[in-house]
Amino acid sequence: MFISLLFYSIIVRISGFDVDMKVYTDVLKKDDLDGFYYLKEPVYWYFSHYLYKVINSETWTFVIIDSMVFFLTIKSVKNLKLPVYTALALLLFFPYLLGLQNVYRQLLATVLLVYFYSICYKNSSNGHKLFVFIIAGLTHNVALLFFPIYFLFKSKVSLIFFVLSGALILILLPYVVSYKSVSETGLELKWFYVSIIGIVCIISAFFYFTYDLLKINIFLCNLYLFVISLYASFILGGAQSERLSMICLVLLLCNLFVQIESRFKEKKTIAFITCVALFLPSFLFSSTFYFLTT
């Protein structure tokens, strides 16, 4: 799977750069990265900048970073005890395809958040979880909004901190999300995203609202994703709320596959239908359709 995805990345990158990727290539060639814009999200900017200085190739710089995306996605799927083809389903999902050609830093932050979620689910050490979360937040500051996930899958007492931290995040949301982000998907979709997240959250309630702590926490995670997506749609612009909702959709998808694995006997059939449904929107949005056809 990893080798196949690596060849895919090579083909994509040698085909040239368009949309926002041209901006990323220009930044790679800068002599210095000065200013608060780069300092507030230093992980991607400085890592890619110095990697380019060593390699001296835009193509291979992005291929190496893409390989990290693929590795972390596959590792996350393994942590969630899901079949490896789930990684492919994630990578075919609209936010991933858009990220490869456009919102690249958001894609990296999304992948790190998925990995962060998977080690929370696995209940890895606190140091490991906090380190990954900090790296995600310093890659794209919007990742900071998902810190309440840290308190899930631990104990009943932690649910109190989950609620309190979630409330604090909602208060800080207008100040954390950048108002300067202007990348659009080509359609006004923020309410569509909120509707989909809400529907899946309702389905999750039927499947997971039991006295089993793990399953309740999965439901609470989905509920938080819905609340933050809905709230963002009211207080943020279209591009900002859509970007946030895309991250929510990816995390929601991870829970959906956990649901499929735990609740359905015909897992492969349901998973195949889900994968097809996830891939179809990539033909609907002008940005990703252009990416697939060029």
Side-chain angles (χ1 to χ4, degrees):
M1 175 73 76
F2 178 79
I3 293 173
S4 299
L5 291 169
L6 188 59
F7 276 109
Y8 166 71
S9 172
I10 293 171
I11 292 170
V12 168
R13 298 311 179 193
I14 64 176
S15 298
F17 306 107
D18 48 32
V19 197
D20 271 10
M21 293 309 297
K22 291 181 179 178
V23 177
Y24 286 109
T25 57
D26 291 339
V27 173
L28 292 179
K29 300 174 184 178
K30 282 179 172 286
D31 293 330
D32 295 298
L33 298 182
D34 297 324
F36 181 69
Y37 179 77
Y38 301 111
L39 289 174
K40 69 186 179 72
E41 296 170 329
V43 171
Y44 168 76
W45 292 122
Y46 288 97
F47 174 75
S48 62
H49 183 70
Y50 289 111
L51 181 62
Y52 172 76
K53 283 185 177 294
V54 173
I55 299 175
N56 199 30
S57 168
E58 303 104 326
T59 298
W60 288 104
T61 296
F62 290 127
V63 168
I64 290 174
I65 298 175
D66 287 348
S67 68
M68 296 177 182
V69 169
F70 302 146
F71 174 80
L72 285 176
T73 301
I74 294 172
K75 181 65 175 174
S76 300
V77 164
K78 299 292 283 184
N79 287 342
L80 292 170
K81 299 179 181 179
L82 296 172
V84 70
Y85 61 75
T86 309
L88 185 60
L90 282 169
L91 292 163
L92 289 175
F93 195 28
F94 165 68
Y96 271 75
L97 286 177
L98 181 66
L100 282 174
Q101 71 156 126
N102 194 346
V103 286
Y104 199 49
R105 280 186 304 112
Q106 179 178 311
L107 170 63
L108 300 180
T110 301
V111 171
L112 286 165
L113 280 173
V114 170
Y115 181 64
F116 167 69
Y117 177 75
S118 75
I119 59 178
C120 288
Y121 183 91
K122 190 180 178 181
N123 201 14
S124 296
S125 67
N126 290 331
H128 187 193
K129 290 184 282 190
L130 288 173
F131 174 76
V132 173
F133 178 76
I134 291 170
I135 294 298
L138 293 177
T139 299
H140 200 303
N141 295 156
V142 73
L144 298 172
L145 300 174
F146 297 89
F147 180 68
I149 292 174
Y150 172 79
F151 297 108
L152 292 174
F153 313 109
K154 292 172 68 68
S155 67
K156 292 182 179 179
V157 176
S158 296
L159 294 181
I160 298 174
F161 294 102
F162 168 75
V163 173
L164 292 177
S165 61
L168 180 62
I169 290 296
L170 294 178
I171 295 172
L172 296 177
L173 179 61
Y175 307 99
V176 176
V177 179
S178 172
Y179 285 87
K180 294 182 179 180
S181 174
V182 294
S183 295
E184 301 281 359
T185 58
L187 296 170
E188 181 64 34
L189 296 170
K190 64 180 183 180
W191 295 114
F192 172 75
Y193 288 146
V194 171
S195 300
I196 295 299
I197 293 171
I199 291 170
V200 177
C201 191
I202 292 171
I203 295 173
S204 174
F206 286 104
F207 280 99
Y208 287 125
F209 200 66
T210 68
Y211 290 102
D212 184 281
L213 179 62
L214 178 64
K215 295 174 182 178
I216 288 177
N217 287 357
I218 291 176
F219 165 73
L220 289 175
C221 179
N222 288 347
L223 181 61
Y224 176 72
L225 296 175
F226 171 70
V227 170
I228 197 172
S229 175
L230 178 63
Y231 182 57
S233 297
F234 281 108
I235 67 171
L236 301 177
Q240 295 82 16
S241 60
E242 285 178 24
R243 283 183 169 217
L244 179 60
S245 292
M246 281 193 286
I247 297 176
C248 292
L249 280 170
V250 172
L251 292 171
L252 199 68
L253 178 61
C254 294
N255 282 338
L256 181 60
F257 274 109
V258 170
Q259 173 182 313
I260 290 173
E261 285 297 306
S262 63
R263 292 292 181 177
F264 292 96
K265 293 182 178 180
E266 295 295 330
K267 299 175 184 178
K268 292 185 178 180
T269 302
I270 299 296
F272 175 77
I273 294 172
T274 304
C275 290
V276 172
L278 293 173
F279 189 57
L280 287 178
S282 297
F283 293 95
L284 176 64
F285 305 128
S286 58
S287 54
T288 48
F289 183 74
Y290 175 77
F291 174 67
L292 289 169
T293 56
T294 56

